[in-house]
Amino acid sequence: MLKTVKFGGSSLASAEQFQKVKAIVERDAARRYVVVSAPGKRFPGDDKITDLLYRCQALRALDAPFDAEFSKIAERFIGIRDALHLDVCIEAELDEIRSRIEAGTTPDYAASRGEYLNGKLLSAYLGFDFLDAAEFIRFRDDGAFDDDATSLRQGALLLHERAVIPGFYGRTRAGAIRTFSRGGSDITGAITARLSNSDVYENWTDVSGFLMTDPRIVPDAKVIETVTYSELRELSYMGATVLHEDSIFPVRKARIPIHVLNTNEPEARGTMIVPDSMATDKEHARPLTGIAGRRGYTVITLTKDNLHNDLGFSYRLMGILARNGISAERMPSGIDTVSLVIDDKRLTGKMDQLYHDIMIECSPDTVEIASCIALIASVGIGMVRNPAVAAKLFSALSDAEVNARLIDQDSNEMNIIIGVEQRDFERAVEAIYRAFA
């Protein structure tokens, strides 16, 4: 058994958290590759190290002093080093970083140093090798991740039996440091799990797994014990957040399960994210796996007699959207109607032109525009060919006096999307949860 483990910023925010991480790693000899984030917040109102590093670089770009911000960074790392009694000359590393920022380094380099320094400290604390992510994570010069070049560097990783690896960044072929988007240490962990041929990728954070729905709406929401990659993809797209979305693909490609666990409650079962083929009927006895949703949509419904026989209608409509730089989230249709469900952010400053083009080129009989719509996704492999699910879902909405303005279901039957008035969003989510929990 071989495991790659990744610890988030809250898991490594202080010396006390380092001690928890060490206990977790040493509890299982299979945990051989450890990917780290930069220190996060220790308490409300605290600073994330990555934010401070970005601020230092931005102030230097404005020829403004950044002494106060950099002092906070130095104090945090020196404090962790001293509290753990580590023999690491972190001051020399800090001097080098400060000099690079003074010389006008890039935001990517500055931001990456939080993970770099945390990796140095944790490797010394665990007695593991330190492997700089820049040694094997590759980016193209345009900033895109280079999967092929990274795979060719697999040997740089496998030289180490046990290693601590800073997340979030790599380098271009020219040697420049580049970062993933925020939260990108999850991606580094997934890439490391794939390249090391790990059996499991453990992602340690500050939550005890993936909840069935937003705890701000349902405070007692249960933890999902098992979720498939496909289910997670659907839920993440609709706003559910635990992992960086791009971190799923490297391990999904290699069919490696992801185990989401809580550093502060290491005995909790957490959530296991598995390939679809690994989900058993027993694990998915509950038909509904999770519920997620987002506000801020507009639904444009076009009606035209005999629309289904107008062979060019959809082509013209898609052309109008493309020309205006707009994509539709959903497109439910009937014999004489088609609806466009569009994120409001995509419509900013474009509604008048879009309406004009539709009227001129598509000649609909009517156009109805409904704003302030929220979408709710009810997701579960157990829904497939289960005739009771839809009845139960809509009965729950009826009992809660919520009107479904839009209903759409994917062809794989794993996801039922409903659109409701934004004022009914929380009530609808809770009603669906209570019906299936």
Side-chain angles (χ1 to χ4, degrees):
M1 175 68 74
L2 173 62
K3 295 180 180 180
T4 292
V5 297
K6 179 263 175 182
F7 290 93
S10 61
S11 299
L12 291 165
S14 66
E16 179 185 6
Q17 291 299 107
F18 266 63
Q19 292 169 347
K20 294 178 182 178
V21 166
K22 184 175 184 179
I24 289 168
V25 172
E26 292 183 344
R27 193 176 299 133
D28 187 346
R31 294 173 176 140
R32 289 169 38 194
Y33 296 104
V34 182
V35 176
V36 302
S37 294
K41 292 184 179 182
R42 296 161 292 184
F43 46 80
D46 195 18
D47 292 300
K48 294 181 177 181
I49 291 296
T50 302
D51 290 339
L52 290 172
L53 286 162
Y54 272 126
R55 207 175 304 159
C56 287
Q57 192 278 333
L59 287 169
R60 176 62 188 86
L62 296 171
D63 290 323
F66 58 89
D67 294 345
E69 286 74 14
F70 199 84
S71 291
K72 291 180 182 179
I73 296 168
E75 288 170 6
R76 180 81 75 89
F77 285 112
I78 291 172
I80 292 172
R81 189 270 315 271
D82 291 349
L84 299 176
H85 308 291
L86 299 176
D87 184 18
V88 178
C89 187
I90 204 73
E91 290 87 352
E93 299 282 4
L94 287 164
D95 288 344
E96 170 68 15
I97 294 166
R98 184 186 181 94
S99 296
R100 293 283 295 270
I101 294 175
E102 283 279 10
T105 191
T106 64
D108 284 33
Y109 172 82
S112 72
R113 296 305 88 182
E115 280 76 11
Y116 175 84
L117 292 176
N118 236 18
K120 285 281 189 176
L121 290 176
L122 188 62
S123 65
Y125 191 44
L126 294 177
F128 283 20
D129 295 343
F130 173 78
L131 173 59
D132 193 341
E135 292 297 316
F136 69 101
I137 302 291
R138 289 288 184 267
F139 287 81
R140 294 197 290 269
D141 290 335
D142 63 2
F145 171 62
D146 191 333
D147 191 18
D148 291 338
T150 298
S151 296
L152 290 173
R153 297 291 300 166
Q154 183 182 30
L157 173 65
L158 298 182
L159 283 174
H160 302 269
E161 184 177 352
R162 297 181 182 276
V164 172
I165 301 155
F168 187 38
Y169 71 91
R171 71 173 178 86
T172 65
R173 293 182 181 181
I177 294 295
R178 297 302 296 255
T179 61
F180 295 105
S181 59
R182 289 298 292 266
S185 292
D186 288 340
I187 306 175
T188 307
I191 294 167
T192 301
R194 177 170 63 85
L195 294 182
S196 64
N197 299 310
S198 290
D199 298 290
V200 178
Y201 169 36
E202 291 183 347
N203 193 293
W204 292 83
T205 179
D206 56 2
V207 296
S208 296
F210 201 84
L211 300 178
M212 277 189 69
T213 194
D214 190 336
R216 292 170 297 184
I217 300 174
V218 183
D220 60 342
K222 296 178 181 178
V223 172
I224 303 170
E225 293 187 2
T226 304
V227 61
T228 67
Y229 287 128
S230 294
E231 290 171 321
L232 183 62
R233 171 73 171 158
E234 297 282 354
L235 291 166
S236 296
Y237 183 75
M238 288 303 296
T241 55
V242 170
L243 297 177
H244 192 297
E245 185 176 343
D246 292 340
S247 72
I248 296 171
F249 293 104
V251 285
R252 182 177 186 174
K253 181 179 179 181
R255 296 175 53 78
I256 299 170
I258 305 174
H259 200 177
V260 179
L261 295 157
N262 189 340
T263 305
N264 301 312
E265 297 180 13
E267 304 306 323
R269 294 184 62 177
T271 298
M272 186 67 80
I273 306 167
V274 301
D276 295 3
S277 60
M278 291 177 62
T280 66
D281 292 338
K282 182 178 180 180
E283 288 169 332
H284 278 77
R286 182 186 298 144
L288 191 64
T289 298
I291 307 151
R294 291 190 295 186
R295 302 174 181 82
Y297 289 94
T298 293
V299 180
I300 304 173
T301 301
L302 285 62
T303 303
K304 185 176 184 179
D305 284 344
N306 211 28
L307 183 151
H308 65 292
N309 285 325
D310 186 339
L311 299 181
F313 189 90
S314 295
Y315 176 80
R316 295 193 300 275
L317 187 58
M318 291 298 97
I320 292 169
L321 291 175
R323 191 167 63 248
N324 284 278
I326 298 169
S327 62
E329 301 281 330
R330 321 288 299 186
M331 284 188 62
S333 61
I335 295 176
D336 295 322
T337 63
V338 62
S339 295
L340 304 173
V341 183
I342 303 173
D343 191 319
D344 288 344
K345 295 189 290 293
R346 300 183 184 276
L347 285 173
T348 302
K350 299 178 180 180
M351 178 60 85
D352 289 345
Q353 186 64 51
L354 178 64
Y355 180 83
H356 173 270
D357 292 349
I358 288 173
M359 294 303 296
I360 295 299
E361 298 180 40
C362 295
S363 302
D365 296 332
T366 63
V367 176
E368 178 185 347
I369 301 174
S371 57
C372 298
I373 299 295
L375 294 186
I376 301 171
S378 299
V379 178
I381 282 182
M383 294 167 55
V384 178
R385 292 181 295 279
N386 189 334
V389 172
K392 195 172 185 178
L393 190 154
F394 291 111
S395 291
L397 293 177
S398 177
D399 291 344
E401 298 183 346
V402 174
N403 178 46
R405 295 289 305 270
L406 175 146
I407 302 168
D408 195 16
Q409 183 172 23
D410 289 342
S411 57
N412 60 16
E413 300 183 59
M414 191 177 66
N415 187 6
I416 296 177
I417 298 282
I418 61 166
V420 301
E421 300 283 351
Q422 286 187 168
R423 63 175 179 268
D424 294 330
F425 177 67
E426 288 87 355
R427 189 149 42 101
V429 168
E430 181 165 17
I432 296 171
Y433 175 82
R434 299 298 177 198
F436 288 94

